[in-house]
Amino acid sequence: MQVLQVQLEVRPDPAEVGRARRWARSRLAGSGIGVDEPLSETLILLISELVTNAVVHTGTGAVLRMCFSGSGAVVGTVRVEVADASARPPRPRHADGDDTHGRGLELVDGLADRWGWQPEGVGKRIWCEVDRGQPLPFAPEREGGAYEPGPPAASGAYEARRAAQHAV
């Protein structure tokens, strides 16, 4: 399996969310995912929600990572990870009516094929994956890393619920 992984350090400033979106768009385009493709827009929305949560709700910086995995020149899964320095687990909420906050993790749950979180060092890593089967123009001889798509051993409760929804 081949893996292309890119990452960006995000400062603890809400303005960084826009910078993360611009950075991600350029990396998606460089990986062969066109900026006008629905997949690109979905991934940008997921990145925006996860980075916003990290910066706004923890008050700390974060690391945004995108992993493109596949076999040969075909990407099977795009994984987005946001690691922050807060050990506080994500707390999904349900927004009512005109509420302006509380929809982020609901969006992630609805758009991603899988998502979850795990403790990491003094903080945590929240991740989501979107499956894909389109060619990715990176060299077949590139060696893959240790990343394997799929949930980690210590994922959050919403990952289990999401898996149960897809099994029905």
Side-chain angles (χ1 to χ4, degrees):
M1 174 177 296
Q2 299 173 37
V3 177
L4 173 62
Q5 178 177 303
V6 293
Q7 75 177 37
L8 172 71
E9 291 192 26
V10 180
R11 295 180 301 270
D13 175 357
E16 286 287 274
V17 177
R19 185 174 76 93
R21 282 193 301 263
R22 289 186 299 278
W23 176 86
R25 276 191 187 95
S26 72
R27 297 318 179 268
L28 289 169
S31 75
I33 299 173
V35 294
D36 58 344
E37 288 184 45
L39 174 63
S40 178
E41 290 304 314
T42 297
L43 288 165
I44 294 300
L45 181 54
L46 291 166
I47 287 164
S48 185
E49 291 301 329
L50 294 179
V51 171
T52 297
N53 285 351
V55 171
V56 171
H57 296 296
T58 71
T60 67
V63 176
L64 166 61
R65 217 173 272 123
M66 292 192 304
C67 304
F68 304 88
S69 68
S71 177
V74 176
V75 170
T77 299
V78 179
R79 180 177 176 115
V80 173
E81 301 176 350
V82 176
D84 63 50
S86 170
R88 189 174 56 200
R91 192 184 74 194
R93 299 180 303 182
H94 178 71
D96 292 321
D98 294 333
D99 290 349
T100 58
H101 298 286
R103 291 180 176 82
L105 290 176
E106 283 185 14
L107 282 171
V108 172
D109 187 53
L111 294 173
D113 291 305
R114 289 165 299 286
W115 79 275
W117 71 279
Q118 64 194 75
E120 180 173 286
V122 297
K124 68 184 166 302
R125 177 189 316 191
I126 300 177
W127 58 269
C128 64
E129 294 177 339
V130 178
D131 294 328
R132 182 174 192 247
Q134 300 295 319
L136 180 73
F138 59 82
E141 63 272 10
R142 178 180 232 147
E143 288 299 314
Y147 165 69
E148 289 290 329
S155 65
Y158 276 78
E159 169 59 24
R161 182 179 63 76
R162 181 84 171 153
Q165 284 177 339
H166 286 294
V168 174

